[in-house]
Amino acid sequence: MIRFLAVSLAAGAILSACAAPTTTFGPDGKPLPKIYRIAPGDTAEIEFRMLDSINALRRAAGLAPVELDPLLNAAAATHSRDMSIQNRPWHFGSDGSSPLERARRVGFAGDVLGENISESYETELQTLAAWMEQPDTRAVIMDPKARKIGFAWFQEPNGKIWWTLVTGTPITGS
């Protein structure tokens, strides 16, 4: 009897592992988004995954690669946090600043070409895919003049992520 019980419990445990994952649904009947949590130690991995993906897209289009610029990263990080504070995705800072002004404040001396922003619960690659689907945000990523990018985010405790991507060119001759 004990042997039967032990085998039954083991079989139940094995079968429960095979059960389909549960999905949580919202009041509208649609699945709730899965929260993509970003740990503090994930920064470099996420930045380089985005950089590699952008450069693969640019390479496929015959464009020169871009490289991460720490100053543009700082401008992007500032804006991501500021959008969260304002609770709206838009290109102006709470102080009225533009992408160009934010880049200048952190010391970027090149030309700022464009800025993409997003408010989502999606991963960086899902966000990139969404940007590539829209002509205006795709143009920022695929700008032939771009040589530098800044990419950053701010994640709220509820999981919402505010993404910012800034493109630019270095000063001529640098």
Side-chain angles (χ1 to χ4, degrees), residues 50-149:
M50 180 63 99
L51 178 66
D52 289 345
S53 298
I54 288 171
N55 280 333
L57 292 166
R58 290 175 64 86
R59 191 171 28 259
L63 298 171
V66 292
E67 61 183 35
L68 285 171
D69 183 280
L71 298 174
L72 290 178
N73 281 352
T78 298
H79 192 55
S80 291
R81 181 176 294 274
D82 191 47
M83 285 190 298
S84 171
I85 292 167
Q86 296 181 70
N87 195 34
R88 65 178 168 182
W90 72 326
H91 295 283
F92 296 97
S94 56
D95 60 356
S97 62
S98 69
L100 176 61
E101 290 168 315
R102 290 188 294 274
R104 292 284 179 263
R105 284 182 192 160
V106 296
F108 184 74
D111 292 326
V112 173
L113 301 172
E115 178 182 72
N116 288 343
I117 56 173
S118 179
E119 165 196 19
S120 75
Y121 292 87
E122 298 175 330
T123 70
E124 65 280 0
L125 296 183
Q126 290 169 319
T127 300
L128 176 59
W131 285 338
M132 291 301 288
E133 289 176 5
Q134 299 300 317
D136 56 340
T137 52
R138 178 186 176 89
V140 171
I141 295 164
M142 304 302 281
D143 188 331
K145 296 177 290 215
R147 294 296 179 272
K148 304 281 187 179
I149 65 166

Side-chain angles (χ1 to χ4, degrees), residues 13-78:
I14 291 169
L15 289 175
S16 70
C18 296
T22 58
T23 302
T24 307
F25 295 93
D28 59 359
K30 294 181 181 177
L32 292 174
K34 299 215 185 304
I35 295 178
Y36 174 58
R37 289 280 177 205
I38 301 173
D42 294 343
T43 300
E45 181 181 340
I46 290 170
E47 285 176 345
F48 286 107
R49 189 168 33 242
M50 180 63 99
L51 178 66
D52 289 345
S53 298
I54 288 171
N55 280 333
L57 292 166
R58 290 175 64 86
R59 191 171 28 259
L63 298 171
V66 292
E67 61 183 35
L68 285 171
D69 183 280
L71 298 174
L72 290 178
N73 281 352
T78 298

